[in-house]
Amino acid sequence: MTTAHSLLVEDLTLGYKDRVVVSSLDLTLPPGRVTAIVGANACGKSTLLRSMSRLLQPKGGHVLLDGREVHRLPSKEVARTLGLLPQSPIAPEGITVGDLVGRGRHPHKRLLSRWSRADDAAVAEALEATRTAELADRPVDELSGGQRQRVWIAMALAQRTDLLLLDEPTTFLDVSHQVEVLDLLTDLNRSLGTTIVMVLHDLNLAARYADHLIALADGRLHAEGTPEEVLTPQTVEAVFGLRSSVITDPTSGRPLMLPIGRHHHAPVDA
């Protein structure tokens, strides 16, 4: 099992130049659980993830990793504890899949230390888990969008961190691979206790796979809690401006959101 590290956000304000994107946010990410961050486009989800992984300096407030300000910690120390899959990552030109996934091992290497059997094992397991082992010798820039996304997830897994932040990990994937990736992350959480924090656009997948939901609206916290507490018609309308019905998913027992468009009618008891 992994170590249960704490990740807290205190009075956090984020932005770019004069534009504020996230305002006065307070959050506690439950250790050892799966958290999904949801909200409309441009509400601050990716910006929040960037700051939690120390890629973006706050305008105000703090991100605390085990009680210490993450932006003041050495990069390698953070990278051994916290892994990040950013949105639309860019691979070096000509790099192969195996070499890219191997870069996930860099935070664990000391100066002049050699590649080890443990590194080989971590890379092999990550490739196998994401079903990309057969792609190991291929250049990343020759892959389809879905294949490339699975390779980036493999690199994050090879890093073997106790905290994993993923920005839209199901981007470019068809529905079967979306479920496969989310099942994989759930396996990682349940078998190793890895804390997973991910941004997802699909509310129903978020409700099905997350233990804890965070709903952002206009850069502020609108709701957080269990999927049953957060995914309600009231929250969907407030956060997305969308009318909906919410029923119990017959497969997972979690809430299932049914959008109501202009050409549809809500049930009488909705």
Side-chain angles (χ1 to χ4, degrees), residues 65-178:
L65 178 61
D66 295 333
R68 297 187 293 167
E69 195 157 356
V70 71
H71 294 86
R72 295 183 179 179
L73 294 174
S75 297
K76 267 203 168 183
E77 182 178 342
V78 174
R80 285 192 290 267
T81 302
L82 189 155
L84 171 70
L85 174 64
Q87 197 175 67
S88 304
I90 299 174
E93 186 175 353
I95 193 170
T96 65
V97 167
D99 286 341
L100 181 65
V101 175
R103 292 194 173 198
R105 302 301 300 158
H106 286 184
H108 301 278
K109 310 303 291 181
R110 298 183 183 276
L111 186 65
L112 302 180
S113 65
R114 295 183 177 181
W115 190 261
S116 67
R117 290 183 179 178
D119 296 320
D120 277 332
V123 170
E125 287 177 16
L127 290 169
E128 186 66 28
T130 53
R131 299 190 182 184
T132 53
E134 72 279 4
L135 305 175
D137 296 325
R138 290 184 57 184
V140 174
D141 50 19
E142 291 182 3
L143 304 181
S144 68
Q147 290 172 324
R148 196 176 296 122
Q149 186 71 357
R150 284 188 287 148
V151 168
W152 282 110
I153 292 170
M155 190 187 80
L157 295 183
Q159 198 171 329
R160 285 191 174 176
T161 58
D162 298 332
L163 273 160
L164 196 53
L165 310 182
L166 304 108
D167 194 353
E168 284 295 330
T170 56
T171 297
F172 304 120
L173 301 180
D174 60 40
V175 65
S176 65
H177 284 119
Q178 289 180 38

Side-chain angles (χ1 to χ4, degrees), residues 248-263:
T248 299
D249 184 335
T251 301
S252 67
R254 295 288 184 89
L256 179 68
M257 189 274 294
L258 306 175
I260 301 172
R262 291 187 297 107
H263 299 288

Side-chain angles (χ1 to χ4, degrees), residues 11-236:
D11 195 28
L12 191 66
T13 296
L14 305 170
Y16 304 94
K17 295 185 178 180
D18 296 330
R19 184 168 65 95
V20 173
V21 178
V22 171
S23 302
S24 304
L25 193 63
D26 290 294
L27 291 173
T28 299
L29 286 304
R33 309 304 292 273
V34 177
T35 295
I37 304 172
V38 300
N41 290 340
C43 73
K45 303 185 298 296
S46 296
T47 299
L48 172 60
L49 219 63
R50 283 173 53 82
S51 184
M52 288 194 294
S53 62
R54 80 187 294 277
L55 292 181
L56 178 65
Q57 188 75 27
K59 287 181 173 290
H62 311 278
V63 177
L64 302 177
L65 178 61
D66 295 333
R68 297 187 293 167
E69 195 157 356
V70 71
H71 294 86
R72 295 183 179 179
L73 294 174
S75 297
K76 267 203 168 183
E77 182 178 342
V78 174
R80 285 192 290 267
T81 302
L82 189 155
L84 171 70
L85 174 64
Q87 197 175 67
S88 304
I90 299 174
E93 186 175 353
I95 193 170
T96 65
V97 167
D99 286 341
L100 181 65
V101 175
R103 292 194 173 198
R105 302 301 300 158
H106 286 184
H108 301 278
K109 310 303 291 181
R110 298 183 183 276
L111 186 65
L112 302 180
S113 65
R114 295 183 177 181
W115 190 261
S116 67
R117 290 183 179 178
D119 296 320
D120 277 332
V123 170
E125 287 177 16
L127 290 169
E128 186 66 28
T130 53
R131 299 190 182 184
T132 53
E134 72 279 4
L135 305 175
D137 296 325
R138 290 184 57 184
V140 174
D141 50 19
E142 291 182 3
L143 304 181
S144 68
Q147 290 172 324
R148 196 176 296 122
Q149 186 71 357
R150 284 188 287 148
V151 168
W152 282 110
I153 292 170
M155 190 187 80
L157 295 183
Q159 198 171 329
R160 285 191 174 176
T161 58
D162 298 332
L163 273 160
L164 196 53
L165 310 182
L166 304 108
D167 194 353
E168 284 295 330
T170 56
T171 297
F172 304 120
L173 301 180
D174 60 40
V175 65
S176 65
H177 284 119
Q178 289 180 38
V179 170
E180 186 175 296
V181 163
L182 293 172
D183 279 344
L184 167 64
L185 295 174
T186 300
D187 291 341
L188 193 65
N189 169 257
R190 291 180 179 177
S191 62
L192 297 178
T194 305
T195 301
I196 307 285
V197 182
M198 54 186 173
V199 170
L200 287 178
H201 273 301
D202 190 313
L203 287 178
N204 290 327
L205 286 178
R208 174 174 284 198
Y209 283 94
D211 305 302
H212 188 75
L213 285 185
I214 293 170
L216 299 183
D218 298 323
R220 296 182 181 275
L221 178 65
H222 180 83
E224 69 171 322
T226 65
E228 290 78 13
E229 292 168 335
V230 174
L231 189 53
T232 65
Q234 294 78 16
T235 296
V236 173

